[in-house]
Amino acid sequence: MTTQRAELEGTVAAKGLAFGSARVVYSAKIDVETEPLPSAGIPNEVKRFEEALKTARAELASLSDRVSGALARDLSEIIDAHAMILDDPEFTDAVVALIRKDSLRATAALKRQRDLLATMFEGIDDPYLRARRDDLDHVVARVYAALARGGAEPERKPSAEGQILVCETVAPAELAQLAESGLRGLVCTASSPYSHTAIVARGLRLPFACGVKHALAVVHEGDSILLDADHGRIVVRPDNIDQTRFRTLQKEAERVRRQRARIKVTDARTRDGVSVKLHVNAENPDVIAAARRAGADGVGLFRTEFLFMKRRELPTEDEQFRAYRDAIVAMAGRPVTLRTLDLGADKAVGGPLEMALEENPALGLRGIRHSLVHRDIFTAQLRAMLRASAYGPMRILLPMVSAVEEVREARELIEVCSEEVRRSRHPVADEIPLGAMIEVPAAALVSADIARHADFLAVGSNDLAQYVLAADRNNAAVAANYDPLHPAFMRLLFLVLDNARQAKRPISVCGEIAGDPRYTPLLLALGLTEFSMHPNALADVRETVGGLSRKSLKARASRLLHAPDRAALAEIVDAMASA
Ligand code: PEP
Ligand code: MG
């Protein structure tokens, strides 16, 4: 066995530092039974598969009963999602049909159906939904394990005390159990920061680096590992120098943590006294609770489409109303920006919206386009939002706007809905600002006109960058092209910010760059004073803002806008960190 030191790199999925010994789990590759199935054996094979499904369901139900505490909510949603796959005829009936029609053994049929569904997931351009492929694999692994055991009890897993798990991917529920038994960190060759596993790891504060390609080839059971999941770096079999460096990192992280715990959460202000609003992007009530703890100024983006996912039926108006109202009440007087549905045909897969699959979903019936076509769904959502407006400050935000007409049409519909809601004796706030997301180049170019029809603007820099740079935000092959530090993106962003300023409309940026301290000086230099981000990013961005002088940043804006290429731009941006 090699004792040589090795370094690996991956993607940050849950920040933190961990030191431990490797617990290596090679992927439970499905060992398919290839021998032909005689027709007399078919009924028995179907029964075997059905028994395995039953076992998998029972295991999930018992997991559900066992989890408790803060994580229970996240986890129970995930367990429900897995149970739904087990009950989904597209999955189960198809496997049975393969056993019956193609005379496949249960494991072979399971594998074939898994591969088919996995290919469909691969084609999805939404990272959240694409990460659901992990869910499918976790369910398949559970059924496969039940088939392989043939009714025997599962083995009890040894304690994970002091260990770092190295594997292809791990199911969220299993991760939570391992964490309970002392797991210190996670390194996966696959998975993504959008996976449920990553969500659970962040909730557990368990350092997690994903996409660490060669981890399973390099790491052996029991190897010492230093996991720096703040930067996605892993040292395997570290030497003394690595260990000393790591201890320094740990001490520094501990110092920052203590310092932060002492600081009273205050308003974000630059060194020269410019006040900056820091809002959060939220998808569920847990994020809202975290936002309050972190002292957010409001919710800059509530992604309502998450209410429409992982379920078979559309949420009713009442159900939506309760979710929006709870978010508004929880923010106790700080504004909540509810974005209308941003689902398109791509994001509708597996959800309650039955829509045709589109060839090019990123350019398809997404966001406001979808809402204006499916009026019944849109009106139910608007009515729920309007009813919630009686409980505190609320704004409505339209996604994927590409023309002034869409804002106008939505405003007219909101007025009609307000009248109806009031007539049905529900109070509605007098003023509900209506905003437009600027995430399509056309909208950016006509943002001066859109600003006249909207009460505020929000730049969706994730999508704006992908459309301006013609680089799919989820395609690793064009990750280098998808770089906001491109002169074209920079100039377009400035145009939008300047148009909002001239029209005297509030504007925020709510894509990932708003929560990345590297871009904080640049955004301040371009004139931004409202940021919206994941709650975990608030403290870093607040601290970065506090160390910068807006006046001296603004003096460099013109150099930014005239930078001829990426390298020049990156140099200016890096130098701004000390402005
Ligand atoms: C964006 O595009 O930047 C944005 C915030 O919206 P989403 O990431 O939900 O598409
Ligand atoms: Mg977007």
Side-chain angles (χ1 to χ4, degrees):
M1 185 191 286
T2 174
T3 53
Q4 246 179 357
R5 167 187 184 284
E7 273 183 43
L8 297 167
E9 281 204 5
T11 306
V12 176
K15 288 189 173 186
L17 300 166
F19 169 57
S21 67
R23 175 186 184 116
V24 181
V25 175
Y26 298 97
S27 21
K29 284 271 174 266
I30 298 192
D31 252 337
V32 172
E33 301 148 295
T34 46
E35 59 281 20
L37 180 64
S39 47
I42 289 177
N44 210 22
E45 200 64 10
V46 171
K47 196 157 160 244
R48 207 180 134 222
F49 174 64
E50 281 166 353
E51 284 300 320
L53 281 180
K54 230 190 266 167
T55 310
R57 280 190 201 111
E59 282 175 12
L60 282 178
S62 99
L63 261 176
S64 244
D65 295 343
R66 287 204 314 265
V67 287
S68 60
L71 204 67
R73 185 189 197 117
D74 265 352
L75 218 49
S76 66
E77 274 182 23
I78 294 165
I79 290 171
D80 287 350
H82 285 195
M84 252 173 74
I85 301 180
L86 282 174
D87 287 336
D88 186 349
E90 208 172 323
F91 173 57
T92 55
D93 291 2
V95 176
V96 172
L98 285 169
I99 299 175
R100 290 214 171 102
K101 292 209 193 91
D102 294 6
S103 301
L104 291 180
R105 303 242 170 212
T107 49
L110 182 63
K111 164 110 175 43
R112 192 180 293 173
Q113 185 56 16
R114 178 253 164 225
D115 290 350
L116 188 82
L117 293 175
T119 323
M120 279 168 55
F121 275 103
E122 290 294 344
I124 295 174
D125 93 328
D126 178 76
Y128 176 85
L129 279 174
R130 219 159 20 145
R132 303 287 69 80
R133 211 199 80 158
D134 273 8
D135 291 339
L136 173 68
D137 278 343
H138 297 146
V139 171
V140 168
R142 201 175 277 285
V143 178
Y144 175 72
L147 275 171
R149 287 199 310 272
E153 283 290 305
E155 274 174 43
R156 278 192 67 80
K157 301 234 164 71
S159 147
E161 189 61 53
Q163 293 181 329
I164 291 180
L165 178 64
V166 181
C167 57
E168 188 180 331
T169 102
V170 55
E174 201 177 324
L175 183 66
Q177 282 177 322
L178 287 167
E180 241 169 48
S181 85
L183 191 77
R184 290 189 185 161
L186 175 63
V187 173
C188 285
T189 53
S191 196
S192 89
Y194 301 94
S195 63
H196 275 139
T197 303
I199 294 169
V200 167
R202 289 193 285 268
L204 288 164
R205 298 196 172 275
L206 191 80
F208 173 21
C210 64
V212 186
K213 286 207 189 90
H214 304 295
L216 282 170
V218 173
V219 185
H220 303 109
E221 184 75 19
D223 277 348
S224 298
I225 293 185
L226 300 176
L227 167 61
D228 172 2
D230 285 341
H231 302 97
R233 284 188 211 124
I234 295 113
V235 182
V236 190
R237 300 173 289 270
D239 57 25
N240 289 343
I241 301 173
D242 294 318
Q243 305 216 15
T244 312
R245 259 194 223 133
F246 195 75
R247 273 196 293 274
T248 313
L249 280 180
Q250 278 180 315
K251 274 193 199 139
E252 178 55 17
E254 181 55 17
R255 190 191 63 74
V256 171
R257 195 193 62 72
R258 285 202 190 157
Q259 192 186 32
R260 289 234 172 103
R262 279 199 303 269
I263 298 173
K264 214 171 129 294
V265 176
T266 50
D267 291 345
R269 228 168 243 289
T270 61
R271 235 173 45 223
D272 51 340
V274 178
S275 162
V276 174
K277 294 272 172 257
L278 301 185
H279 298 277
V280 293
N281 297 344
E283 292 84 31
N284 60 49
D286 293 347
V287 179
I288 305 256
R292 286 214 53 196
R293 280 197 303 276
D297 292 307
V299 174
L301 171 69
F302 188 102
R303 290 181 162 107
T304 60
E305 54 273 17
F306 281 75
L307 286 171
F308 289 67
M309 290 176 177
K310 295 192 280 182
R311 51 186 300 153
R312 288 174 193 278
E313 272 143 32
L314 287 169
T316 61
E317 178 187 316
D318 277 346
E319 191 182 342
Q320 291 188 64
F321 157 68
R322 285 192 295 274
Y324 306 150
R325 178 202 57 196
D326 291 353
I328 292 167
V329 169
M331 286 311 287
R334 299 178 182 211
V336 173
T337 310
L338 299 175
R339 178 171 76 178
T340 61
L341 198 56
D342 191 20
L343 279 182
D346 60 323
K347 293 192 199 174
V349 173
L353 293 174
E354 279 178 25
M355 293 186 58
L357 276 177
E358 294 175 303
E359 284 260 327
N360 208 341
L363 306 181
L365 198 65
R366 279 189 62 180
I368 187 64
R369 302 171 182 182
H370 177 274
S371 293
L372 290 174
V373 170
H374 296 272
R375 293 290 176 121
D376 46 343
I377 299 173
F378 194 30
T379 356
Q381 178 165 51
L382 289 175
R383 288 174 53 93
M385 289 179 173
L386 293 165
R387 284 169 57 189
S389 73
Y391 292 81
M394 184 202 96
R395 314 193 295 178
I396 297 180
L397 178 60
L398 308 173
M400 290 298 294
V401 167
S402 57
V404 164
E405 290 80 350
E406 291 163 336
V407 182
R408 235 190 266 144
E409 215 179 317
R411 194 186 283 284
E412 281 165 17
L413 199 59
I414 291 173
E415 273 158 23
V416 173
C417 289
S418 293
E419 281 306 305
E420 280 172 16
V421 171
R422 285 198 178 102
R423 267 205 305 275
S424 54
R425 297 186 178 280
H426 293 295
V428 174
D430 290 334
E431 289 207 3
I432 304 173
L434 176 66
M437 286 199 74
I438 305 294
E439 47 188 351
V440 173
L445 291 168
V446 298
S447 49
D449 302 288
I450 292 181
R452 276 194 285 280
H453 290 83
D455 304 308
F456 68 98
L457 302 180
V459 179
S461 53
N462 302 337
D463 276 317
L464 188 59
Q466 90 160 337
Y467 293 125
V468 170
L469 303 169
D472 180 349
R473 64 195 256 194
N474 308 308
N475 182 349
V478 290
N481 304 81
Y482 182 85
D483 178 6
L485 286 187
H486 185 298
F489 180 72
M490 205 52 42
R491 291 175 207 174
L492 197 61
L493 183 58
F494 177 72
L495 174 81
V496 177
L497 293 173
D498 202 46
N499 281 338
R501 185 186 58 77
Q502 290 194 36
K504 298 195 172 42
R505 293 288 186 267
I507 182 160
S508 66
V509 171
C510 55
E512 294 308 300
I513 58 170
D516 185 339
R518 185 181 181 206
Y519 297 102
T520 311
L522 177 153
L523 294 171
L524 287 170
L526 294 182
L528 188 75
T529 51
E530 261 189 59
F531 296 59
S532 194
M533 65 200 75
H534 189 278
N536 288 348
L538 280 174
D540 274 350
V541 174
R542 185 181 285 119
E543 194 174 307
T544 309
V545 166
L548 293 164
S549 152
R550 181 134 105 174
K551 195 161 166 234
S552 77
L553 286 170
K554 278 205 128 180
R556 302 187 203 190
S558 132
R559 280 178 60 205
L560 263 182
L561 296 169
H562 289 96
D565 55 29
R566 285 184 166 137
L569 198 49
E571 205 175 300
I572 302 170
V573 169
D574 289 340
M576 278 179 158
S578 53

